[in-house]
Amino acid sequence: MITKLLIANRGEIACRIARTAHRMGVRTVAVFSDADRNAPHVRLCDEAIHLGPAPAAESYLIAEKIIAAAKRTGADAIHPGYGFLSENADFAEAVEDAGIIFVGPTAETIRAMGSKSAAKDLMEEAGVPVTPGYQGEDQSLRTFRDAAERIGYPVLLKATAGGGGKGMRMVEKEADLADTLDSARREAKSAFGDERFLIEKYVPHARHLEVQIFGDGKGNVVHMFERDCSVQRRHQKIIEEAPAPDLPPGVRAKLLEAGVNAGKAVNYRGAGTVEFLYDTGGQDGGQVYFMEMNTRLQVEHPVSEMITGLDFVEWQLRIASGDGLPYRQEDIVELGHAFEARLYAEDASQNFAPSIGTLTTLHLPGGRARIDSGVEEGQTITPHYDPMIAKIITHGARRSIALNRLVMALEETRVAGLETNAPFLHRLAQHPKFVRGEVSTRFIEHHGSELFDEPAPDAPVWAAAALFLRDVPDAPAAPAFRLNRAAHEVLWLEHDGEPALFHLYHEEDGYHAVLEPDASAAARREGREAKPAQSFTFTGTRAANGEISLTVNGRRLTAKAARHGKGVRIWLGAEQFDIRLVDPLTGAQSEGSTEGSLTAPMPGIVTLLNAKPGDEIAAGASLLVMEAMKMEHSIKAPSAGVLKAYRFSPGDQVKEGDLLVEFEAAE
């Protein structure tokens, strides 16, 4: 049995592995970069070894340092987690050559499945159905054009060494193929060091299904049923569930059989996931096609744990120790339904762009949900790693129960200091079609108008914000802000760049409020149409924990509040609203905006300039491409105009807020 385990990872998965290891009586060793010196996974383990600077390429991706750390601490096994070196065959081989147990499949299996093109060839030989496409060595544009014409548009470009949605692009017409392939190759080369691609038929009404398997490396493979991971953004999963809803029994049987056969074809050892595309438009309930095999533990494995009652990390450690499969297939029983929602530091309204900053408030739901997290309040989300904050996992005897628990858990989730996708996840989980299990890989694309429709603040939000901001010690001074509290106070508030005057009249039993939206002098000068004023009465008290008890027009409710940037973040249920108190002498100004310029939304590297100084630019045209968090981000023209100058060249490192482009809008 393994006695000391080095965890070659960080964050949530490192914490999750450490907890199981400790329960099994296995000592643990953490590794960390400069950015993670005080991270929770470092404190959770028995020992910790420093690897180097924050960039993963200088720390978590250096195999020699990790193996040296294992030898130095006497660890007899290394668990790679997911990401980083988890699917690196050379690393797995080096670990075992050093006389250390690698908790995962053999290097031979990882190599066989690491190339999406080679994996498809192998699965075809094993009789596993594969998606129509091309996965050959000829990587010329002409070959890709011929393949796309043969299988028909739309098509999907996929990096052969890819994973996690990176280096994946959908192409709808031939005119877009060349530019899209160039962009995808740049991203794949940066993320994986390999710019080879394959092309597949894009199935518009598809679901993304996967089968969790375990093998003993001796030909025995079992499955832990299937998961549905269809709901994705940027080809990355955000809500997963098990089992898949509304799946015809015949399709399910075919899917599970194909998953087990895929594992047997490579004599699989340990935990793995076989991913399939389910074309719901086919005959006999539809067809399933092999996409890829992930030779590691998946991010979404907790939903399968919840419906089987098994600990998959324990299974990994027992198999790696030579114990074989703990259970036979007939001993593995399906129990109820489970969901997982991935809470990310990202701005859903800005195409899910990662959000960098310090978690000034982090409140995750307890009781209703299992929380897998590797960060804590006060910790900074950096541009160096994946921006996941936590996984929120719920279980119930029926799908409806598990989903209701997920909705309530998301309502209890509160994060301030940066942006998160929590409100978006809540809207998604309540969407009528999601509730009915009518999902596909284009769910977000098809229902974006409802999912991205953020509500405007109503009377309770303004009342809660006023109660909070009146007591903030470093708020801008306003004429009515005095300790004796005049009978009439005026607060100048701002939400989403829109200013409003908040008149607060003190009455014997509370307050009478009048909100005049869009009341700035600038708005009047620009001749904007005046929005109607709101009038309401309220009473309220604010507790030290940020809870605000309100009665608004006779309706009682509770809001939560916390400092966020230069203002307050108010939560009513799962929706959040950011309100600022602005200086009445200067008016409401959008923070960080510079007229006529375009700035970096986050730290990154400039990779491509798409125009020349002096060029006339159409509104929405891409001016510059930068890479951050291993994803490409296009900086686009806010309007038609002229590009005056670039401030950086390809390869230059930029900081958040750096001026990238000088741009002059057309009159």
Side-chain angles (χ1 to χ4, degrees):
M1 182 65 189
I2 294 168
T3 59
K4 182 180 281 191
L5 178 70
L6 184 139
I7 304 169
N9 219 293
R10 64 177 299 279
E12 170 269 323
I13 188 59
C15 293
R16 189 259 171 279
I17 294 166
R19 290 190 182 99
T20 290
H22 291 165
R23 181 177 59 77
M24 296 176 67
V26 177
R27 291 189 172 275
T28 55
V29 180
V31 290
F32 64 94
S33 69
D34 287 347
D36 286 335
R37 192 174 296 275
N38 298 310
H41 80 275
V42 175
R43 300 196 307 273
L44 187 60
C45 290
D46 300 300
E47 300 175 62
I49 300 293
H50 178 242
L51 291 178
E58 301 176 48
S59 52
Y60 294 106
L61 288 173
I62 301 181
E64 295 81 3
K65 287 188 176 182
I66 291 171
I67 293 172
K71 290 180 176 179
R72 177 180 166 188
T73 56
D76 52 355
I78 292 178
H79 194 309
Y82 52 70
F84 294 140
L85 295 169
S86 62
E87 293 181 284
N88 186 305
D90 291 342
F91 175 63
E93 191 169 64
V95 169
E96 300 210 330
D97 285 347
I100 301 169
I101 296 170
F102 180 75
V103 183
T106 64
E108 181 182 10
T109 298
I110 296 173
R111 284 196 182 95
M113 294 293 102
S115 167
K116 287 182 170 59
S117 56
K120 287 185 70 174
D121 289 340
L122 187 59
M123 290 301 108
E124 280 188 300
E125 293 175 11
V128 177
V130 301
T131 314
Y134 167 77
Q135 60 261 15
E137 290 300 315
D138 185 348
Q139 293 285 298
S140 67
L141 177 59
R142 176 177 292 277
T143 297
F144 279 94
R145 278 182 171 151
D146 290 345
E149 184 177 352
R150 184 180 69 255
I151 62 179
Y153 287 93
V155 296
L156 194 63
L157 296 171
K158 297 170 71 173
T160 62
K166 297 179 179 65
M168 189 181 295
R169 299 285 194 280
M170 193 264 282
V171 185
E172 296 192 88
K173 56 184 183 296
E174 183 182 352
D176 297 336
L177 181 62
D179 288 345
T180 305
L181 183 58
D182 284 345
S183 172
R185 279 176 169 157
R186 287 193 302 270
E187 186 172 284
K189 186 174 182 179
S190 172
F192 314 114
D194 188 335
E195 55 184 357
R196 292 175 299 159
F197 270 74
L198 59 83
I199 189 169
E200 292 180 343
K201 175 66 179 173
Y202 183 82
V203 183
H205 303 293
R207 287 167 62 180
H208 182 129
L209 305 180
E210 56 190 39
V211 179
Q212 174 72 59
I213 63 168
F214 276 88
D216 62 3
K218 300 175 183 177
N220 299 305
V221 177
V222 297
H223 68 75
M224 302 289 184
F225 308 106
E226 83 284 353
R227 300 186 284 258
D228 192 312
C229 306
S230 299
V231 181
Q232 306 174 7
R233 88 301 183 247
R234 289 182 166 182
H235 301 292
Q236 291 181 304
K237 308 157 190 172
I238 52 174
I239 291 187
E240 303 98 349
E241 61 180 299
D246 196 28
L247 192 62
V251 173
R252 189 184 202 208
K254 191 188 313 181
L255 179 78
L256 297 178
E257 181 183 17
V260 170
N261 287 342
K264 289 181 177 179
V266 291
N267 197 23
Y268 202 81
R269 183 185 75 189
T273 298
V274 190
E275 300 195 344
F276 295 89
L277 199 64
Y278 171 38
D279 183 357
T280 59
Q283 296 179 346
D284 301 322
Q287 178 63 276
V288 291
Y289 299 108
F290 171 84
M291 288 197 299
E292 62 182 344
M293 179 187 286
N294 294 125
T295 53
R296 54 174 168 80
L297 199 63
Q298 291 278 85
V299 178
E300 59 273 19
H301 76 272
V303 292
S304 297
E305 289 185 319
M306 299 298 276
I307 68 163
T308 58
L310 302 173
D311 184 329
F312 290 178
V313 173
E314 178 183 344
W315 272 55
Q316 285 186 294
L317 297 180
R318 290 177 64 177
I319 291 169
S321 298
D323 292 349
L325 295 173
Y327 291 165
R328 297 172 300 173
Q329 186 67 67
E330 55 266 32
D331 299 323
I332 302 168
V333 181
E334 183 183 302
L335 306 165
H337 206 99
F339 284 91
E340 173 183 290
R342 301 190 192 185
L343 179 66
Y344 280 110
E346 63 183 17
D347 189 343
S349 67
Q350 299 298 318
N351 195 27
F352 301 98
S355 181
I356 310 301
T358 300
L359 296 161
T360 55
T361 295
L362 178 60
H363 181 274
L364 299 172
R368 302 185 199 277
R370 163 181 163 180
I371 302 297
D372 284 10
S373 179
V375 299
E376 59 192 1
E377 192 168 281
Q379 193 170 338
T380 297
I381 302 297
T382 76
H384 301 293
Y385 315 117
D386 185 89
M388 182 188 288
I389 295 172
K391 300 186 303 195
I392 300 171
I393 306 129
T394 58
H395 179 260
R398 298 189 303 277
R399 185 177 187 270
S400 58
I401 296 173
L403 185 55
N404 287 341
R405 287 174 176 164
L406 179 66
V407 169
M408 290 188 287
L410 289 167
E411 289 172 0
E412 295 177 17
T413 301
R414 300 192 301 278
V415 184
L418 42 68
E419 300 307 315
T420 78
N421 64 340
F424 178 84
L425 291 171
H426 184 262
R427 290 192 290 271
L428 197 162
Q430 288 192 301
H431 192 281
K433 288 195 172 181
F434 185 85
V435 171
R436 293 196 296 269
E438 298 173 12
V439 294
S440 77
T441 54
R442 302 182 76 176
F443 187 90
I444 292 175
E445 178 185 342
H446 289 160
H447 303 292
S449 58
E450 305 123 272
L451 298 175
F452 293 102
D453 187 15
E454 299 178 356
D458 55 9
V461 173
W462 292 112
L467 286 172
F468 185 94
L469 291 169
R470 289 169 78 236
D471 294 324
V472 175
D474 58 349
F481 273 57
R482 294 183 175 86
L483 292 176
N484 57 5
R485 297 273 164 85
H488 173 209
E489 298 181 60
V490 180
L491 286 70
W492 194 316
L493 304 179
E494 179 193 71
H495 170 261
D496 199 21
E498 291 289 330
L501 286 177
F502 191 87
H503 296 270
L504 196 60
Y505 299 92
H506 293 247
E507 298 182 344
E508 186 175 342
D509 56 351
Y511 302 100
H512 174 70
V514 177
L515 181 76
E516 296 182 48
D518 208 17
S520 67
R524 290 194 295 272
R525 284 197 304 271
E526 294 167 11
R528 291 189 223 155
E529 183 178 347
K531 297 178 182 178
Q534 297 182 50
S535 178
F536 55 91
T537 59
F538 74 95
T539 60
T541 58
R542 172 188 168 192
N545 65 357
E547 186 170 291
I548 298 177
S549 299
L550 292 167
T551 301
V552 181
N553 289 342
R555 175 190 170 203
R556 297 185 64 180
L557 66 160
T558 300
K560 303 291 194 308
R563 289 300 305 268
H564 177 73
K566 295 183 178 180
V568 60
R569 176 161 284 177
I570 302 292
W571 290 274
L572 274 176
E575 293 295 344
Q576 63 186 38
F577 307 87
D578 296 338
I579 310 291
R580 281 204 311 144
L581 182 64
V582 295
D583 190 335
L585 300 178
T586 61
Q589 301 291 334
S590 296
E591 296 177 26
S593 64
T594 306
E595 188 174 354
S597 69
L598 292 159
T599 58
M602 66 194 77
I605 297 173
V606 174
T607 58
L608 187 67
L609 307 181
N610 289 326
K612 300 186 301 294
D615 283 358
E616 293 187 1
I617 306 296
S622 176
L623 300 174
L624 174 150
V625 176
M626 61 177 287
E627 181 200 311
M629 290 182 158
K630 296 184 180 180
M631 300 289 285
E632 282 199 341
H633 303 269
S634 183
I635 307 301
K636 298 180 180 180
S639 64
V642 177
L643 190 151
K644 304 297 289 184
Y646 285 112
R647 291 291 189 92
F648 293 91
S649 301
D652 288 349
Q653 181 83 38
V654 297
K655 303 188 299 296
E656 181 179 1
D658 277 350
L659 175 62
L660 301 175
V661 182
E662 294 181 19
F663 182 80
E664 184 177 286
E667 294 184 2

